[in-house]
Amino acid sequence: MVKFDVEGGQNVEVSKKIKCEKPLVRQLEIMEEYTETHKKYASASKERREVECLKVIYPQMFRSIEDSDLIAGRLDFLPIGFGTVTSVGGVGHYCVFAKLRAFQKEIDELGTEYHERVEALYKYWLDNDLKTEYCRRTLTETTVGRFIDVNYPLIATARLSGMMLDYPKLLDNGISGLKKIISDKMASDPENEFYITSLECLDICTASADYLREQAEKQLAELPDGNEKRRKELRRMADVLGKIRTAKPETFHEALQLFWLYALLAGVINYGRLDDFLGPYLAADLESGRITEEEAYDYIRSLWTMIENRRTTVNGRIVVGGKGRQHPKEADIFMRIALKVCKDCRYVEPQFTLRIDKDTTEETWQAALDAIGAGATYPTLYNDEVNVPAVSYGMRVDEETAKRYVPFGCTEFVLWGQSTGTPNICINLLKLLTIYMNDGIDPVDGQNKTGDITPRKMSEIKTFEEFYEGYKELLDYYMDLSADAQYSSYEIMNEQVKFLFTSILMDDCIERGKALLDGGVKYLGGTCETYGNINSSDSLYAIKKLVFEDKKVTLTELCAAVKANFEGYEDIRKMCLDCDKYGNDLDTADGMANDLYEFVSKGIRNQGIEKGMQYFLIVISNNSLNTEWGIKTGASPDGRLSGMYMNPANNPQGGADKNGPTAMLNSLCRFDAKYHAGSVQNIKFSAGMFKKNRSIIEALFKTYFKKGGCHLMVTVVDSGVLEDAVVKPEKYPDLIVRVAGYSAVFVNLDPTVQREILSRTLYDERNSLK
């Protein structure tokens, strides 16, 4: 069995988690109760074991209602429990071993008798944690590593990220209506465990609403005289919880509360097209006078705060605008208020997303630019004119279905209510290139990482085409590994759990009587995050130009130079740096980037379809992993030094774009979007330039989208502020920047990530807008 560190990091965590509300001893008791329940139902069906374990957690893991809350529902998470993602808790029946060890050290201070109790839990879950089982069966010595072990060219995990549920089904029917739908199906299949336990999950919803209603009633009884505003809020909250425990919602508050409660219980951390889902309730309340516009703003801001407090870092997607909405007029009312909230809050989360198309109004454009110009870094902009037909092709669905696309995380797409798209695989294209150029040996640690492939000898290669084909052979081998590892994650998760809450609100689970990964979901898809794309294509172009066209160096000389980290080869490095680079609207470098992109994206897609998935598409992704993986990646022929961060997603390496923002955006829209399921594309302006040239920048963005740009994320920051924040972080506790598919507080980022962000070109008065 391959050795791996079960206590190693398993996700990007930038935001500081809110400390668990319960005393340490009570936390331990709950984890022990959960573990005993897991043992007790070991021989039962996976559905039965899951629902019984869920009853241990809910509703007792709900936190207290806070004074500013207008809807109820905050959750604590323990090192042991049940979930869908590592951002909150863990996956399936989970143990986060590093957090359990930290908990053990903390509770040891209360008495030595607790130490062995925690140790017993640790030992039990070594054999029962879902992700650990996946790692045992999937990881290899040299090719596939544990997410996020950056010593490997490919890393893999088991999780169910990005699920966007069919909330209209929930809101249109309520808890009782959903029970009737399931009961009607169950009439012809009374022994179906999925149906039986799904009904019990809906009972948990009712119990949780009752629990939170009792909290609101208790706070109401204890509220001092004189605070009539809060009294009214708590009274309304309690009444709403009493209503939605069974009945379908009729008001905006009721719809918002039911949606939020279910999302928490399902463990999902992205929320989808809330403008279309909640807009009709909001519009009706405003029209009838049940609430004022100011109250509507307060409700949406309260939701923003609840999402921010979950601290999932890269998630919390709320999507507004675009094609395919069923209630566009009412949805626009929600969108308009939400854009104001976005501008005013400037939170790291939710990842507020605006889908634009040819019908997007100028009013909406201006509201979005207002928020971006204020430094919110949101909304992120997605181009439906490009993305809808692209999703139709990539996911193999009709265009009407493709209008259901929603981004999550670092911009991966799924179809809300209909598909999985979890990115359980990440591949480092640049690390593979450095390995290939070093006869299969990773120059960072000296290990052979070519698996079953025997790489071509550099000394025997005579043409660029031969060199490129050899690299493609290695990439193709790793693409096979990627599809296998992705599909295996679904198989192993399905062996262990059924994700009942999620399955209830996903087509076609109820219709088929099967859980999500058990054949229930309409479209079983997946995504593979790629890193170092542009460093790799720039390196390929440098090899083509310097070695095979201009013959300034031999291939063996260039290989020796990168292996030596260019020490003693400074002249060769200068030639590498001087070669054309992607991001400058040059056919040379951009053409090479597109060629590599199409090879990888088409190959991944084909491998996934052959494996049995509806789709398996690359995501040109970025988070801090481009920096972390860069630290463990050798020098490359684009002139990048060993250990240096890699380029961020579909953007050029920091500082490589020299021809201004127009040229850079022209390079970004080179790639045909139909071959990927999302591509992170960032641009950064100084506050002064953005304000002074706002109309020009708006025209620049619109032209970019007309040329085929699929997506854009914009940071507006004062010149010199980021540099000052590195030196004096205490002055900038709320400075938000785009890292990649997500935003973060700049001073909370690792210094290596800060340096990568600083390296990106800041377009200011010194740069031309041509």
Side-chain angles (χ1 to χ4, degrees):
M1 183 180 70
V2 176
K3 292 183 179 180
F4 55 91
D5 181 11
V6 296
E7 295 186 22
Q10 58 181 1
N11 59 281
V12 176
E13 286 195 14
V14 177
S15 303
K16 185 178 180 181
K17 300 291 187 184
I18 295 173
K19 189 176 178 63
C20 182
E21 194 175 58
K22 290 178 172 52
L24 291 173
V25 175
R26 183 61 191 139
Q27 292 179 46
L28 176 58
E29 290 170 348
I30 294 170
M31 289 190 286
E32 289 175 329
E33 183 183 357
Y34 187 95
T35 303
E36 287 305 311
T37 303
H38 190 265
K39 290 179 185 177
K40 179 180 178 180
Y41 290 93
S43 59
S45 69
K46 302 300 181 296
E47 293 92 339
R48 173 54 52 195
R49 178 188 248 187
E50 181 173 321
V51 77
E52 294 299 331
C53 285
L54 287 171
K55 290 174 186 176
V56 174
I57 300 172
Y58 304 125
Q60 69 173 324
M61 288 309 297
F62 279 95
R63 295 173 62 91
S64 301
I65 298 168
E66 297 193 3
D67 290 343
S68 62
D69 293 347
L70 297 182
I71 55 173
R74 294 170 176 269
L75 278 173
D76 276 328
F77 294 91
L78 301 176
I80 292 169
F82 187 90
T84 61
V85 292
T86 53
S87 301
V88 285
V91 180
H93 300 291
Y94 71 81
C95 177
V96 184
F97 293 100
K99 292 182 178 180
L100 187 61
R101 279 292 187 222
F103 173 84
Q104 186 180 47
K105 290 179 181 178
E106 193 174 3
I107 202 170
D108 278 353
E109 297 179 6
L110 300 182
T112 56
E113 66 270 24
Y114 299 111
H115 185 90
E116 287 306 315
R117 288 169 64 180
V118 177
E119 196 66 28
L121 294 176
Y122 191 103
K123 291 177 181 177
Y124 175 82
W125 287 102
L126 281 174
D127 294 326
N128 291 280
D129 170 61
L130 190 153
K131 285 187 64 177
T132 300
E133 176 62 19
Y134 173 77
C135 290
R136 287 194 187 101
R137 290 159 61 174
T138 307
L139 305 189
T140 68
E141 290 289 350
T142 59
T143 56
V144 184
R146 180 183 185 271
F147 189 91
I148 45 178
D149 189 338
V150 291
N151 290 294
Y152 292 80
L154 186 151
I155 54 178
T157 190
R159 58 184 178 182
L160 197 66
S161 291
M163 298 307 299
M164 303 277 198
L165 306 185
D166 186 352
Y167 293 112
K169 182 183 291 184
L170 171 69
L171 300 177
D172 291 346
N173 294 282
I175 299 300
S176 293
L178 284 178
K179 284 185 174 181
K180 184 178 186 308
I181 292 171
I182 294 170
S183 297
D184 288 349
K185 294 294 297 182
M186 192 174 164
S188 60
D189 191 6
E191 303 302 317
N192 185 303
E193 277 286 278
F194 172 67
Y195 289 147
I196 293 168
T197 51
S198 290
L199 290 173
E200 292 182 46
C201 281
L202 294 174
D203 287 337
I204 293 174
C205 287
T206 299
S208 297
D210 288 339
Y211 180 88
L212 292 170
R213 182 183 59 177
E214 290 170 7
Q215 275 197 24
E217 295 277 11
K218 183 174 183 293
Q219 290 191 16
L220 188 59
E222 296 171 351
L223 193 68
D225 291 339
N227 193 346
E228 292 308 311
K229 181 177 182 292
R230 187 56 181 164
R231 185 174 301 279
K232 180 181 177 182
E233 291 168 352
L234 286 170
R235 180 71 270 155
R236 184 184 292 174
M237 189 185 299
D239 291 345
V240 164
L241 287 162
K243 169 78 176 290
I244 59 98
R245 66 186 301 278
T246 53
K248 66 180 182 180
E250 296 176 301
T251 69
F252 180 59
H253 189 155
E254 291 166 4
L256 183 61
Q257 180 66 76
L258 181 57
F259 141 74
W260 181 245
L261 177 61
Y262 198 99
L264 292 176
L265 293 172
V268 297
I269 53 177
N270 293 282
Y271 312 106
R273 306 190 78 170
L274 292 191
D275 62 338
D276 204 33
F277 304 161
L278 298 176
Y281 298 92
L282 175 59
D285 278 9
L286 289 170
E287 184 177 353
S288 68
R290 276 192 294 266
I291 64 173
T292 65
E293 182 130 344
E294 181 181 357
E295 288 173 320
Y297 174 96
D298 290 340
Y299 273 121
I300 295 175
R301 181 159 185 152
S302 182
L303 175 63
W304 248 245
T305 302
M306 303 287 265
I307 292 172
E308 191 281 334
N309 285 180
R310 293 188 84 186
R311 306 285 168 85
T312 64
T313 301
V314 303
N315 294 284
R317 287 270 183 175
I318 291 177
V319 182
V320 299
K323 297 178 181 294
R325 295 182 296 172
Q326 299 303 301
H327 313 282
K329 181 180 176 181
E330 295 85 353
D332 281 350
I333 295 172
F334 181 99
M335 177 176 67
R336 174 173 52 80
I337 299 172
L339 281 163
K340 293 179 182 178
V341 173
C342 171
K343 176 186 174 184
D344 295 344
C345 285
R346 283 184 265 180
Y347 289 157
V348 168
E349 295 180 81
Q351 283 204 60
F352 185 52
T353 295
L354 173 63
R355 285 174 47 175
I356 56 121
D357 59 25
K358 60 182 176 57
D359 296 322
T360 300
T361 65
E362 188 60 25
E363 178 187 6
T364 300
W365 266 103
Q366 293 309 315
L369 293 172
D370 284 347
I372 291 168
T377 74
Y378 297 112
T380 62
L381 306 174
Y382 286 80
N383 183 8
D384 275 11
E385 303 299 340
V386 168
N387 290 326
V388 169
V391 167
S392 176
Y393 175 86
M395 296 186 181
R396 301 190 293 159
V397 297
D398 60 75
E399 285 212 8
E400 197 58 35
T401 300
K403 292 175 183 176
R404 297 174 72 113
Y405 91 89
V406 276
F408 71 94
C410 289
T411 210
E412 297 89 343
F413 295 162
V414 288
L415 303 171
W416 67 264
Q418 293 191 337
S419 85
T420 59
T422 182
N424 288 350
I425 310 300
C426 304
I427 186 169
N428 185 339
L429 305 183
L430 186 65
K431 192 173 188 68
L432 288 173
L433 180 62
T434 65
I435 289 168
Y436 170 57
M437 293 182 67
N438 196 37
D439 295 325
I441 306 299
D442 189 335
V444 174
D445 60 16
Q447 290 192 48
N448 187 303
K449 297 178 181 176
T450 55
D452 297 333
I453 296 294
T454 301
R456 303 186 186 195
K457 295 289 185 183
M458 296 295 106
S459 60
E460 298 175 0
I461 291 174
K462 304 302 181 186
T463 67
F464 175 73
E465 289 70 26
E466 188 180 350
F467 175 89
Y468 198 9
E469 283 304 311
Y471 178 44
K472 287 178 177 178
E473 286 174 3
L474 185 58
L475 289 177
D476 193 59
Y477 175 74
Y478 269 86
M479 287 190 282
D480 271 341
L481 295 178
S482 298
D484 288 344
Q486 178 78 25
Y487 198 80
S488 175
S489 74
Y490 291 146
E491 291 179 316
I492 293 171
M493 285 191 286
N494 190 52
E495 289 174 11
Q496 302 291 323
V497 295
K498 299 301 176 184
F499 298 116
L500 294 169
F501 271 113
T502 302
S503 298
I504 291 169
L505 292 188
M506 291 294 292
D507 293 348
D508 291 320
C509 296
I510 294 176
E511 183 64 28
R512 296 173 178 173
K514 295 181 178 181
L516 186 81
L517 301 178
D518 201 26
V521 72
K522 189 167 188 176
Y523 302 117
L524 183 71
T527 46
C528 172
E529 297 182 357
T530 60
Y531 292 82
N533 304 46
I534 303 305
N535 292 115
S536 298
S537 64
D538 281 349
S539 293
L540 289 170
Y541 179 72
I543 294 166
K544 181 182 180 184
K545 177 72 171 171
L546 298 176
V547 176
F548 296 103
E549 291 182 358
D550 295 349
K551 302 187 185 302
K552 291 185 176 180
V553 295
T554 66
L555 183 57
T556 52
E557 286 174 334
L558 184 56
C559 290
V562 294
K563 184 177 181 180
N565 198 25
F566 293 107
E567 292 183 13
Y569 297 91
E570 288 76 12
D571 56 335
I572 293 180
R573 185 182 184 220
K574 185 178 185 306
M575 287 189 286
C576 291
L577 290 170
D578 288 343
C579 279
D580 290 352
K581 296 288 191 286
Y582 170 89
N584 295 288
D585 196 16
L586 301 172
D587 288 340
T588 49
D590 291 1
M592 182 60 71
N594 187 65
D595 191 87
L596 177 62
Y597 156 71
E598 292 210 358
F599 174 78
V600 174
S601 58
K602 291 175 182 177
I604 285 286
R605 183 174 185 268
N606 291 339
Q607 299 285 14
I609 292 171
E610 288 180 12
K611 191 67 183 174
M613 288 179 274
Q614 174 74 17
Y615 64 89
F616 185 44
L617 301 170
I618 73 162
V619 178
I620 309 174
S621 187
N622 184 49
N623 45 50
S624 59
L625 191 53
N626 74 305
T627 297
E628 295 166 24
W629 229 338
I631 291 170
K632 292 293 186 177
T633 298
S636 46
D638 58 341
R640 177 192 148 276
L641 295 174
S642 179
M644 187 179 183
Y645 45 78
M646 299 186 296
N647 78 282
N650 192 31
N651 283 77
Q653 182 77 349
D657 46 322
K658 307 289 188 183
N659 291 348
T662 302
M664 199 270 281
L665 291 175
N666 283 341
S667 292
L668 294 190
C669 62
R670 284 277 186 136
F671 295 175
D672 190 336
K674 71 182 183 183
Y675 299 124
H676 65 65
S679 174
V680 175
Q681 320 214 45
N682 286 312
I683 193 166
K684 188 168 63 174
F685 294 98
S686 71
M689 185 180 193
F690 191 87
K691 183 177 181 180
K692 181 179 179 181
N693 299 281
R694 177 164 154 161
S695 61
I696 299 174
I697 291 171
E698 179 185 356
L700 179 67
F701 290 172
K702 289 179 177 179
T703 300
Y704 161 72
F705 287 130
K706 285 180 181 177
K707 286 185 174 182
C710 60
H711 165 245
L712 200 59
M713 296 178 170
V714 187
T715 296
V716 175
V717 63
D718 288 321
S719 298
V721 163
L722 297 182
E723 291 82 355
D724 194 44
V726 171
V727 180
K728 302 171 185 175
E730 68 281 356
K731 288 175 56 181
Y732 304 95
D734 302 314
L735 176 61
I736 308 296
V737 295
R738 296 297 315 177
V739 179
Y742 67 97
S743 293
V745 176
F746 181 75
V747 297
N748 291 346
L749 295 168
D750 185 270
T752 57
V753 180
Q754 290 179 343
R755 286 195 291 273
E756 191 274 311
I757 291 172
L758 283 166
S759 77
R760 302 176 192 174
T761 299
L762 174 68
Y763 295 111
D764 58 18
E765 288 75 5
R766 297 167 295 178
N767 303 109
S768 170
L769 277 171
K770 63 181 179 180

